[in-house]
């Protein structure tokens, strides 16, 4: 199993693509912070476990504490590096419920700056930035292959 620790000098944010099966298909939890749509994620510092940071961020942002890593704890997809060399890593987890408790970060001026949506893969392609296309392709492949 590959090491989940952060390599030296790598700027890494880790998050989770949360999916929920609504009886017909999987939906993904997309979150908006100001004008930007993404999946919940946080910066990982040296010595921290990326998966644990990602799961903690989801819990803090949404209230989900019982996500199931049905595709494996070592299964993730990273974005291509940004101009500053930073990378975002996303794990895939399933929620049994679609009930989100949206938590606005402390110090935020307005609740209107934050929202969430449960979206299909196709809808996600429309609202998420192009840099997440590799992640969405990977999520689609994982969902099509079924849980491990």
């Amino acid at each position: 199993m590959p090491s989940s620790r952060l390599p030296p000098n790598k700027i890494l944010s880790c998050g989770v693509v949360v999916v929920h099966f609504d009886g017909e298909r999987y939906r993904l939890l997309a979150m908006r912070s100001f004008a930007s749509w993404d999946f919940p994620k946080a910066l990982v510092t040296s010595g921290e476990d990326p998966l644990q940071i990602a799961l903690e961020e989801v819990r803090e942002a949404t209230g989900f504490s019982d996500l199931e890593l049905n595709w494996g704890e070592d299964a993730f997809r990273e974005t291509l590096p940004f101009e500053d060399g930073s990378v975002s890593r996303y794990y895939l987890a399933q929620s049994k419920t679609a009930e989100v408790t949206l938590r606005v970060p402390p110090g935020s001026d307005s609740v209107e700056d934050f929202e969430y949506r449960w979206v299909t893969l196709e809808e996600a392609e429309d609202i998420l930035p192009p840099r997440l296309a590799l992640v969405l392709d990977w999520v689609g492949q994982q969902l099509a292959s079924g849980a491990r």
Side-chain angles (χ1 to χ4, degrees), residues 85-102:
S86 64
V87 171
S88 293
R89 174 184 296 176
Y90 296 92
Y91 298 90
L92 181 59
Q94 185 168 353
S95 173
K96 290 183 180 180
T97 179
E99 295 178 33
V100 175
T101 303
L102 184 62

Side-chain angles (χ1 to χ4, degrees), residues 17-91:
V17 179
V18 178
V19 297
H20 173 71
F21 189 74
D22 68 6
E24 291 182 31
R25 60 183 155 191
Y26 282 102
R27 294 194 179 266
L28 289 64
L29 179 64
M31 300 187 74
R32 182 181 60 82
S33 175
F34 300 97
S36 229
W37 285 94
D38 204 334
F39 301 112
K41 70 178 188 217
L43 187 64
V44 178
T45 59
S46 183
E48 293 180 321
D49 180 89
L51 176 57
Q52 292 310 310
I53 294 300
L55 292 171
E56 177 65 19
E57 180 61 22
V58 171
R59 188 186 62 72
E60 288 179 9
T62 66
F64 288 134
S65 60
D66 59 351
L67 295 176
E68 297 175 355
L69 296 163
N70 296 334
W71 293 269
E73 290 186 16
D74 59 343
F76 60 82
R77 182 70 164 125
E78 293 183 351
T79 62
L80 295 174
F82 295 94
E83 290 179 14
D84 65 358
S86 64
V87 171
S88 293
R89 174 184 296 176
Y90 296 92
Y91 298 90

